[in-house]
Amino acid sequence: MTIGLDMMGGDFAPLEAVKGTFEYLQEENSSAFLILIGDEAGLNPLVAEYKIPKDKIKIVHADEVIDMHEHPTKALKEKQRSSIAIGFHLLASGKIDAFISAGNTGAMLVGALFSIKALEGVLRPTISTIIPKENGGTGLLLDVGLNADCKPEQLNQFAVMGSVFAQTILGIENPRVGLLNVGEEEGKGNILCQATFPMLKENKHINFIGNVEGRDVFIDKADVMVCEGFTGNIILKLAESLYDITQRKKIQHDYFDRFNFENYGGTPVLGVNKPVIIGHGISQARSFKNMIALAQKMIEKNVMQRMKDELV
Amino acid sequence: MTIGLDMMGGDFAPLEAVKGTFEYLQEENSSAFLILIGDEAGLNPLVAEYKIPKDKIKIVHADEVIDMHEHPTKALKEKQRSSIAIGFHLLASGKIDAFISAGNTGAMLVGALFSIKALEGVLRPTISTIIPKENGGTGLLLDVGLNADCKPEQLNQFAVMGSVFAQTILGIENPRVGLLNVGEEEGKGNILCQATFPMLKENKHINFIGNVEGRDVFIDKADVMVCEGFTGNIILKLAESLYDITQRKKIQHDYFDRFNFENYGGTPVLGVNKPVIIGHGISQARSFKNMIALAQKMIEKNVMQRMKDELV
């Protein structure tokens, strides 16, 4: 398998991307060949310095970089020789099997939505976040911002995609799916939830356990929590801010350490036909290593094909 | 002024309600005459035991109690002699100026919506929650669950009602109003936010500062944060659960202590023509005292009339 990595994305590029590449290749079970996309003149000395084995990587030169604050669609169109545009070109043409970047999030989303194809039958791809549960476990919340307005059919698909991800990647055997809502009983909630509940209930591809509320997000009730991207995005950013607040207030506890979203490497786009992973701008070596490892696992476990099968 | 208090509502009724009454009447600036609604035979000895001055209160007997898990509409209709039904009857007929209960939340909401009138021009009343800010300040989030689906016009009214409440009750001079959204710039967000933003921007009765995101909820950015009741309810319950989690994990810090929503007494229903305050089921003496004091303040500051004036 071949994984493409944007070396120019993120606040600490390209150094931390190079270090992450090194760390990944040190891992015993690393099996991917890496295409490092970025400024060749800048990368060559770093690759040499970190003694990255030449038979495991290939540098593909990119003249340009899409900055963090550029308009995504415009930048992708105008900067065809940027590392992100080249990455999606390689992905679309089959030269790489997955693409990773900690660069401009909007450009990554636009690229994922328009450069490669959505899985057959998928109404809209989605992005998710890991939720640290009080008992030490891990949950998945989706959508967290790609789809601010949703139809019930979309939430139903998020439930399936989230279940496959939880099963294959998080290792949760029969993931419990909850509909994020404002009440426990069927019939509660806004119009969207009222229409979504019966669909989830009848969906044989998931283990639906009913509604979950705001108070259940951080506790061990549902493994996969489904909502539209508006609520999901607000929860994600609120959870991220909690970590920042505990840091600033010097509240030290293992539980809040798990709210450090750097731990999780990056956010995969689900529902497209190849793994695309979007990293945080502040990604460091460990995040890059985790993202490459996640891409490898997604390819190995054939996550995309399994989603397609379950969505039928 | 006369304030009605349901003595039978909440997990620790009537004892904690009696203790709260005593504590309120001990306060130097307490000025309300209290109507205590509940089982007379049970209340008389408690009122004597706590030496509650007889010229400050009157017991109004109620035969029945609406339990916490009863269906609100059904219970209110069938239990006309319950403390909540009697309370709303007294409020509607002008015998009391405000009504407080820590009983069945649904019955309190139904009572507030249908027993007394909405303020002229108010599309739908709303409920809010206090948000403890990182810097020690206090914000207001609304709606937190009364209106799961909203129109832009409703959010615009919540902004006005929230501003008046923040000004008169929280003592914030020129409260900054933020629209809870998934992006910073105008034009971002779901369809509801896109339609609401221009209305808030043009509203001369508020100090609109633009969009706020999930990461801004707990920091000092906006004083009044406006959203539909779906997102607001999820944030409220999530915040409440954070307090529980920190308690269970023995994470001791002043900041998280402020997430103990018992501190705040109760939630007033905004947009109706008289103060109705709904307490938490676990309300203790301090909560009852705070709720009575809040009702007094709302009457003194003429909060409802000021909302009406600003909504024109």
Side-chain angles (χ1 to χ4, degrees):
Chain A
M1 75 178 76
T2 307
I3 296 172
L5 181 62
D6 171 13
M7 305 306 281
M8 312 309 284
D11 300 344
F12 309 110
L15 178 63
E16 294 296 324
V18 171
K19 283 159 73 177
T21 300
F22 173 76
E23 287 185 19
Y24 166 75
L25 292 171
Q26 290 291 105
E27 298 272 301
E28 213 168 285
N29 59 358
S30 69
S31 63
F33 182 83
L34 302 179
I35 303 284
L36 311 182
I37 309 161
D39 174 47
E40 205 166 9
L43 287 173
N44 272 328
L46 284 171
V47 162
E49 185 187 338
Y50 281 88
K51 296 192 176 57
I52 290 176
K54 296 236 164 133
D55 58 329
K56 303 275 192 184
I57 61 132
K58 185 186 159 191
I59 293 173
V60 168
H61 180 63
D63 270 357
E64 297 173 299
V65 175
I66 296 178
D67 291 330
M68 294 307 257
H69 298 289
E70 286 189 72
H71 187 279
T73 322
K74 196 163 165 274
L76 259 186
K77 202 174 162 187
E78 289 174 4
K79 291 190 167 174
Q80 289 283 324
R81 288 155 68 195
S82 64
S83 49
I84 291 181
I86 290 173
F88 278 112
H89 180 72
L90 294 172
L91 192 65
S93 60
K95 300 223 169 65
I96 56 178
D97 303 306
F99 178 49
I100 298 162
S101 173
N104 186 307
T105 304
M108 284 299 289
L109 291 173
V110 170
L113 293 176
F114 299 108
S115 299
I116 57 169
K117 283 183 184 155
L119 286 175
E120 209 185 310
V122 165
L123 297 164
R124 285 274 296 177
T126 178
I127 51 174
S128 62
T129 190
I130 294 291
I131 294 286
K133 295 283 189 177
E134 185 187 356
N135 69 345
T138 298
L140 194 74
L141 176 74
L142 74 172
D143 181 274
V144 292
L146 198 45
N147 307 284
D149 288 292
C150 284
K151 293 179 180 143
E153 294 77 13
Q154 287 174 277
L155 265 58
N156 196 25
Q157 292 195 339
F158 298 164
V160 173
M161 294 192 277
S163 292
V164 170
F165 190 84
Q167 216 168 353
T168 51
I169 302 299
L170 304 181
I172 301 168
E173 206 165 315
N174 186 25
R176 296 158 297 175
V177 174
L179 175 64
L180 193 61
N181 205 337
V182 296
E184 282 183 86
E185 305 87 26
E186 180 167 0
K188 289 271 181 183
N190 57 11
I191 295 169
L192 175 64
C193 284
Q194 287 175 20
T196 304
F197 193 104
M199 296 185 77
L200 294 173
K201 204 173 158 185
E202 279 164 34
N203 187 335
K204 294 196 170 58
H205 298 268
I206 57 167
N207 171 21
F208 181 55
I209 60 154
N211 291 323
V212 292
E213 296 184 86
R215 66 168 66 94
D216 305 319
V217 170
F218 295 132
I219 67 166
D220 182 39
K221 195 158 177 185
D223 302 300
V224 175
M225 295 168 285
V226 174
C227 62
E228 25 64 41
F230 186 86
T231 308
N233 183 268
I234 284 170
I235 293 176
L236 168 63
K237 287 179 180 162
L238 191 150
E240 287 181 339
S241 80
L242 278 175
Y243 176 73
D244 297 336
I245 290 171
T246 56
Q247 289 291 104
R248 286 193 292 262
K249 290 198 176 288
K250 303 196 193 315
I251 301 170
Q252 187 55 49
H253 194 280
D254 292 351
Y255 183 61
F256 285 112
D257 287 346
R258 296 176 59 222
F259 281 73
N260 179 356
F261 284 85
E262 281 179 74
N263 293 339
Y264 304 108
T267 303
V269 180
L270 305 180
V272 288
N273 64 9
K274 284 179 185 172
V276 172
I277 298 171
I278 307 176
H280 214 292
I282 52 169
S283 290
Q284 305 225 10
R286 188 165 153 230
S287 292
F288 283 104
K289 183 197 77 176
N290 287 341
M291 286 195 278
I292 308 170
L294 172 59
Q296 177 187 322
K297 199 170 177 183
M298 287 179 75
I299 297 166
E300 279 171 355
K301 299 265 184 181
N302 214 353
V303 171
M304 300 328 205
Q305 182 60 44
R306 287 175 74 160
M307 284 185 186
K308 198 175 151 189
D309 294 346
E310 294 292 331
L311 279 166
V312 169
Chain B
M1 74 178 78
T2 307
I3 296 172
L5 181 62
D6 171 13
M7 304 306 281
M8 312 310 282
D11 300 344
F12 308 111
L15 178 63
E16 294 296 324
V18 172
K19 283 160 70 179
T21 300
F22 173 77
E23 288 185 16
Y24 166 77
L25 292 171
Q26 292 290 106
E27 299 272 302
E28 212 168 286
N29 59 357
S30 69
S31 62
F33 182 82
L34 302 179
I35 303 284
L36 311 182
I37 309 160
D39 174 47
E40 203 166 9
L43 287 173
N44 272 326
L46 283 170
V47 162
E49 185 186 339
Y50 282 88
K51 297 189 176 58
I52 290 177
K54 295 234 166 139
D55 58 329
K56 302 275 191 185
I57 62 134
K58 184 186 161 194
I59 294 173
V60 168
H61 179 62
D63 269 358
E64 297 173 300
V65 175
I66 296 179
D67 291 330
M68 294 308 257
H69 298 290
E70 284 190 74
H71 187 280
T73 323
K74 197 163 164 273
L76 260 186
K77 203 174 161 188
E78 290 173 5
K79 292 189 166 174
Q80 289 282 325
R81 288 157 67 194
S82 64
S83 49
I84 291 181
I86 291 172
F88 279 111
H89 179 75
L90 293 173
L91 192 64
S93 60
K95 302 224 169 64
I96 56 179
D97 304 305
F99 178 49
I100 299 163
S101 173
N104 186 308
T105 304
M108 285 299 289
L109 290 173
V110 171
L113 294 176
F114 299 107
S115 300
I116 57 169
K117 281 183 186 157
L119 286 174
E120 208 185 311
V122 165
L123 297 163
R124 285 274 295 178
T126 178
I127 51 174
S128 62
T129 190
I130 295 291
I131 293 287
K133 295 283 190 178
E134 185 186 356
N135 69 344
T138 298
L140 193 74
L141 175 74
L142 73 170
D143 181 274
V144 292
L146 198 46
N147 306 285
D149 288 292
C150 284
K151 291 177 181 146
E153 293 77 13
Q154 286 174 277
L155 266 59
N156 196 25
Q157 293 195 337
F158 298 165
V160 173
M161 293 192 277
S163 291
V164 171
F165 190 84
Q167 217 168 351
T168 51
I169 303 299
L170 304 181
I172 300 168
E173 205 164 318
N174 186 24
R176 297 159 296 175
V177 174
L179 175 63
L180 194 61
N181 204 339
V182 296
E184 282 182 86
E185 305 88 24
E186 179 168 3
K188 290 271 181 182
N190 57 12
I191 295 169
L192 175 64
C193 284
Q194 287 174 22
T196 304
F197 192 104
M199 296 185 75
L200 294 174
K201 203 172 157 184
E202 280 164 34
N203 188 335
K204 294 196 169 57
H205 298 266
I206 58 167
N207 171 21
F208 181 53
I209 61 154
N211 291 322
V212 292
E213 297 184 86
R215 66 168 65 94
D216 305 318
V217 170
F218 294 132
I219 67 167
D220 181 39
K221 195 159 177 184
D223 302 300
V224 175
M225 296 168 285
V226 174
C227 63
E228 25 63 41
F230 186 86
T231 308
N233 183 269
I234 285 171
I235 293 175
L236 167 63
K237 288 180 180 162
L238 192 149
E240 287 182 338
S241 80
L242 278 175
Y243 175 72
D244 297 336
I245 290 172
T246 56
Q247 288 292 102
R248 286 193 292 262
K249 291 198 177 287
K250 304 195 191 316
I251 300 171
Q252 187 55 48
H253 194 279
D254 292 351
Y255 183 61
F256 285 112
D257 287 347
R258 296 176 58 222
F259 281 73
N260 180 357
F261 285 85
E262 280 178 77
N263 293 339
Y264 305 107
T267 302
V269 180
L270 305 179
V272 287
N273 64 8
K274 284 179 184 172
V276 171
I277 298 172
I278 307 176
H280 213 292
I282 52 171
S283 291
Q284 305 224 10
R286 186 165 152 232
S287 292
F288 283 105
K289 183 198 77 179
N290 287 340
M291 286 193 280
I292 307 169
L294 172 59
Q296 176 187 322
K297 198 168 178 185
M298 287 178 76
I299 297 165
E300 279 171 357
K301 299 264 182 180
N302 214 352
V303 172
M304 299 328 204
Q305 183 60 43
R306 287 175 73 160
M307 283 185 187
K308 198 175 151 189
D309 295 344
E310 293 294 328
L311 279 166
V312 170

